[in-house]
Amino acid sequence: QVQLVESGGGLVQAGGSLRLSCAASGSIFRLNDMGWHRQAPGKQRELVAGIASGGYTNYADSVKGRFTISRDNAKNTVYLQMNSLKPEDTAVYYCNVQVQPTGSWYSVEYWGQGTQVTVSS
């Protein structure tokens, strides 16, 4: 079994910054693709940022230039640095990780529990 624990959410004023983290633990051989999604009230869950095992990244147009995704494989952790936050960024943020379990040749997808980010105007 693999567990993902998210942290770093909270309340911040517009223009402020937050850093989200998502740490994986359990029977892990390696981590492959990782990413962040978010869901605002009454809206569909959307991709915010992704990072591949080789380091390639992609971002939603709405966050380009403001958000940065990174990973620390030694800590089994993915981060999302969020700068210049806007009220439109208010949502629950979920991490998504492709995990290759110990003893397996294939990856399994896991989701974090979600962390609330609220940006006040």
Side-chain angles (χ1 to χ4, degrees):
Q1 181 78 319
V2 173
Q3 295 81 41
L4 302 181
V5 178
E6 297 185 31
S7 62
L11 175 64
V12 66
Q13 293 183 339
S17 298
L18 288 172
R19 189 173 82 148
L20 307 183
S21 65
C22 177
S25 62
S27 183
I28 300 170
F29 177 66
R30 65 178 291 183
L31 301 176
N32 294 314
D33 296 349
M34 300 188 289
W36 292 91
H37 293 71
R38 68 185 181 188
Q39 187 167 23
K43 296 184 178 181
Q44 296 276 86
R45 186 175 298 187
E46 64 176 346
L47 174 68
V48 177
I51 183 166
S53 59
Y56 298 103
T57 59
N58 66 289
Y59 298 91
D61 288 341
S62 60
V63 307
K64 285 182 178 178
R66 300 188 298 119
F67 290 11
T68 302
I69 187 170
S70 61
R71 61 192 290 165
D72 186 337
N73 291 328
K75 297 182 181 296
N76 290 333
T77 300
V78 60
Y79 303 94
L80 185 68
Q81 179 67 46
M82 304 185 293
N83 298 326
S84 301
L85 282 162
K86 304 175 180 179
E88 308 92 88
D89 296 318
T90 296
V92 177
Y93 285 70
Y94 300 88
C95 66
N96 171 256
V97 179
Q98 297 286 340
V99 179
Q100 183 179 345
T102 300
S104 176
W105 295 105
Y106 305 99
S107 293
V108 178
E109 185 179 58
Y110 287 89
W111 289 86
Q113 81 280 5
T115 185
Q116 177 70 47
V117 172
T118 302
V119 184
S120 62
S121 59

